[in-house]
Amino acid sequence: MSGRARLMWDEAVTGYDFGPDHPMDPVRLALTRRLIGAFGLDRELDVVAAKAAGESTLRLVHREDYIAAVKAASADPGAADGSYGLGTVDDPAFAGMHEVSALIAGQSVAAAEAVWRGEALHAVNFAGGLHHAMPGSASGFCVYNDAALAIARLLELGAERVLYVDVDVHHGDGVQAAFWEDPRVLTVSLHEHPRTLFPGTGWPEETGADGDAEGSAVNVALPAGTGDAGWLRAFHAVVPELVASFRPQVLVTQHGADTHFEDPLAHLAVSVDAQRAVQRACHELAHEYAGGRWVALGGGGYAVVDVVPRSWTHLVGIAAGREVAPEAEIPEAWRGEVFARTRRVGPGRMTDGRWPVSWEGWEAGYDPADRVDQAVLAVRRAVFPLRGLLA
């Protein structure tokens, strides 16, 4: 197995563009790639552009009629009328939509192939993590579900246990749906409570299909306002035990940056420093239980200048084995590019001033009146006994 990590990148992924008034501004991808370069991280790993996912690959998750609908909307965006979730406010059709969506999916599939085959120890596609797309419809800014496609490809290659961890502020509903009946895939999502945020799913009682797959879906629904200590406490109270018991052959993680307190579309209060701490934890879990095989994806994140580039640059640094120190000053050249592209002043350091972040471990006991602890208790009681673990 190669000791070098792999960064999946093709400049053309910045063509995933729903228009000037849409929250998912592709400048977040361009600025992340430039910040990675500003810190020299692209010299520490292999930067690879994969080909777009072909139709046979897309059909591992998506229905044939849906793929045809995406192609039609891509060729004639004005004809998209909301069918299949295309042409909506969240997912407006645009010219070339199929091609660039398939390109993003291709990067995640190639990342999974490289890690499975031992060509790379870790692989990152921060343009990916489009976890809301369903087998037969677009949803939540997501056209093709690259995360599910990467996992499906791992299964096709012979993987028997794949663990997916999603720490985006929104429930990873599309990935959960794709593997609802498949006990080979354990999906774990930490997200804002469905009472207060799209997509309205991800309740702790959602545990997988009856039968062999029962207990293969895990949902930690956190109350609005949860900050660093609560978020990290919940992660560590649930994820490590599940990873240890499942012993995955590959760990696939989604690192949406929209848990941040500056994100305009959600209501958690997490810092870049806590996001970095979870990225490090995922890296450590991959090495401890999955032979180091780690596929890391991006996801949501709509504070496109101040948060997303910093968070995902930390992710790439961790995967590359050259972490960016939280206190590191951001190169002035990058800040100049931010101003040139957005007319905004970029952040000055790679921290929100909260490093090192701290939290209290679950083993120290819990408070049944605390809302974060209630969320943890709910999911442990719903899922852990199904997996032979103590709630």
Side-chain angles (χ1 to χ4, degrees):
M1 179 177 287
S2 169
R4 283 174 69 88
R6 185 168 290 191
L7 174 63
M8 311 305 302
W9 177 253
D10 185 322
E11 196 75 28
V13 300
T14 60
Y16 192 80
D17 188 352
F18 290 113
D21 298 321
H22 196 281
M24 188 176 267
D25 187 337
V27 76
R28 69 196 193 122
L29 302 180
L31 291 176
T32 299
R33 178 64 184 91
R34 301 302 180 273
L35 189 56
I36 290 165
F39 278 108
L41 298 177
D42 47 3
R43 297 192 295 270
E44 306 295 327
L45 36 67
D46 298 320
V47 181
V48 177
K51 65 181 182 179
E55 189 160 336
S56 62
T57 297
L58 294 174
R59 286 202 306 266
L60 292 174
V61 168
H62 294 290
R63 295 199 322 245
E64 190 170 355
D65 60 319
Y66 173 61
I67 298 168
V70 175
K71 289 181 175 179
S74 183
D76 184 8
D81 61 0
S83 301
Y84 295 97
L86 301 168
T88 63
V89 172
D90 277 359
D91 298 280
F94 60 91
M97 179 174 61
H98 164 75
E99 289 77 11
V100 70
S101 299
L103 182 63
I104 291 172
Q107 308 311 303
S108 293
V109 170
E113 291 172 344
V115 167
W116 181 254
R117 291 169 175 161
E119 297 165 2
L121 186 60
H122 313 319
V124 181
N125 176 27
F126 61 79
L130 304 179
H131 59 168
H132 293 307
M134 293 291 176
S137 67
S139 177
F141 314 162
C142 305
V143 178
Y144 292 137
N145 195 320
D146 64 284
L149 287 163
I151 294 168
R153 180 63 176 140
L154 288 167
L155 298 178
E156 188 178 52
L157 290 171
E160 297 175 345
R161 295 181 310 283
V162 180
L163 198 150
Y164 173 73
V165 178
D166 188 319
V167 296
D168 193 288
V169 77
H170 302 90
H171 176 224
D173 57 339
V175 183
Q176 176 180 286
F179 303 105
W180 184 251
E181 299 177 353
D182 195 334
R184 296 175 297 175
V185 181
L186 177 59
T187 64
V188 184
S189 179
L190 283 82
H191 48 266
E192 185 178 328
H193 201 284
R195 284 197 192 97
T196 55
L197 194 65
F198 175 90
T201 58
W203 298 78
E205 296 80 14
E206 297 171 32
T207 59
D210 291 343
D212 291 344
E214 192 174 18
S216 65
V218 183
N219 289 290
V220 187
L222 294 167
T226 298
D228 288 0
W231 193 64
L232 291 167
R233 175 172 167 80
F235 178 92
H236 286 281
V238 174
V239 177
E241 281 185 74
L242 291 170
V243 178
S245 66
F246 191 62
R247 305 199 75 86
Q249 294 161 299
V250 187
L251 184 64
V252 179
T253 57
Q254 196 267 21
H255 296 272
D258 44 9
T259 51
H260 195 271
F261 55 77
E262 289 187 13
D263 197 273
L265 299 189
H267 318 98
L268 295 192
V270 173
S271 69
V272 164
D273 299 298
Q275 292 174 348
R276 181 179 184 271
V278 161
Q279 294 163 3
R280 293 181 85 194
C282 289
H283 177 235
E284 292 164 5
L285 289 168
H287 277 282
E288 188 169 358
Y289 297 108
R293 288 179 289 271
W294 182 34
V295 178
L297 309 173
Y302 310 100
V304 298
V305 170
D306 290 340
V307 177
V308 174
R310 290 190 297 155
S311 185
W312 292 348
T313 296
H314 278 306
L315 176 66
V316 171
I318 290 163
R322 210 197 87 186
E323 295 187 17
V324 178
E327 64 273 12
E329 293 189 4
I330 292 177
E332 193 60 40
W334 183 83
R335 299 182 76 221
E337 183 163 358
V338 166
F339 189 78
R341 284 176 175 262
T342 68
R343 315 312 291 177
R344 293 169 58 183
V345 177
R349 293 194 303 158
M350 291 294 287
T351 179
D352 285 330
R354 299 185 181 181
W355 190 266
V357 289
S358 61
W359 69 94
E360 189 172 1
W362 192 250
E363 63 278 0
Y366 58 85
D367 178 359
D370 181 87
R371 291 200 301 154
V372 170
D373 284 7
Q374 289 170 2
V376 172
L377 280 169
V379 72
R380 289 180 66 100
R381 288 168 176 168
V383 175
F384 275 41
L386 298 174
R387 304 208 63 85
L389 300 171
L390 294 175

